Amino acid sequence: MTQTTDFLAPARLGRLALPNHLVMAPLTRNRAEADGTPGGLMATHYAQRATAGLIIAEGSTPNAVGQTYPNITAIHTDRHREGWRQVTDAVRAAGGRMFLQLQHGGRVGHPATTGLTPVAPSPVPLPETIFTPGGHRQAVVPREMTADDIRATVADFAAAARRAVEAGFEGVEVHSANGMLLHQFLADNTNRRTDGYGGTVTRRVRFAAEVTEAVADAIGADRVGIRISPASTVNGVREDDTAGLYAALLARLKGLDLAYLHLVRSDPAADWYRRIRADWPGVLIGNPDLTDLTTEAVARASRRMLAAGADLVALGRPFLANPDLVERLRLGAPLNPVRDRYFMYVGGTDGYNDYPALAGQASAPSSDSMVALDGARVA
């Protein structure tokens, strides 16, 4: 992709023509039905934000045991597929394009939510409480995945990717970041295995690589991205050898010719960012870590990200609060502030579909007829 610092200029992502370089990052919002099926509320939400160059929809679980919190979306049944079809149809009608993130929580889950004991590379529990339908509960010790569990989970990711394409998504993003299952296999403190999936970095990257390879085989590598978060400690993971770990992972993946590599909280000044950009031959999506959510700061961070070699820029909270973010940045107009964090994770339109567009702009699709879903706060 040709480098540019003009984030509003058209771009390409493989076979997709994008109207700009801005990507709506995947954002957990807990608005699905209890079984993980998306509904009209979510169709409205994403259609409101269809002017993004690309939308990456929130993490969706490939099997029942992979669910993290209440009201998280899923993509392992036909009902899930048809629910997502409502969303992709609405976004496409509004001129947008979507990928779906595939996310397995691993140890980030609870029997009170799923009825199942979480699985993980090793029986190391999450070192904090986790939100369930009954409130915060102490995390449980996950069951160590067997070789059969690993094979079945790889197959579940591939099947979920096929369902996602059937649901109208342009592609999928494999979530190997933020302390979720694939990241748990990568990290030293959560992977204590002594078999072919643990120990050396070559073995610890094997599961993430096999999942990505299976998904690419299922739907085509040009429809598959992967998200990583080097040096992240989210959900209690720890990497003692970040440089070697991701060098080994990229060595395994870069021959696949994937759609993109998505870096969480990209810092252009960080050594790991520069090494990865130099080593990755394909499209790289940078996700700047924003503390200032003003128009000027978001525009500055986006330009800096592109100037540092990113091909696209993923933004989370700016899109959360501004359905017309692209137009606001084009005009230099003020951004809506993000409302109370509580509203990020509860059902209904509050803090979800009620952020206003600029006066005089086309109004966002109405959600008056949508049914508010019961949800719960995730702290």
Side-chain angles (χ1 to χ4, degrees), residues 325-346:
L325 176 65
V326 174
E327 182 68 3
R328 287 174 186 263
L329 292 175
R330 186 182 71 81
L331 296 174
L335 302 186
N336 295 322
V338 177
R339 293 177 61 189
D340 189 321
R341 180 177 170 83
Y342 172 79
F343 290 106
M344 292 187 189
Y345 307 113
V346 297

Side-chain angles (χ1 to χ4, degrees), residues 6-8 22 295-296 299 303 324-335 357-362:
D6 181 2
F7 54 84
L8 297 180
L22 299 180
T295 307
E296 295 77 12
R303 292 190 184 99
D324 56 347
L325 176 65
V326 174
E327 182 68 3
R328 287 174 186 263
L329 292 175
R330 186 182 71 81
L331 296 174
L335 302 186
L358 288 169
Q361 300 299 313

Side-chain angles (χ1 to χ4, degrees), residues 110-125:
H110 200 281
T113 301
T114 64
L116 302 167
T117 299
V119 297
S122 301
V124 181

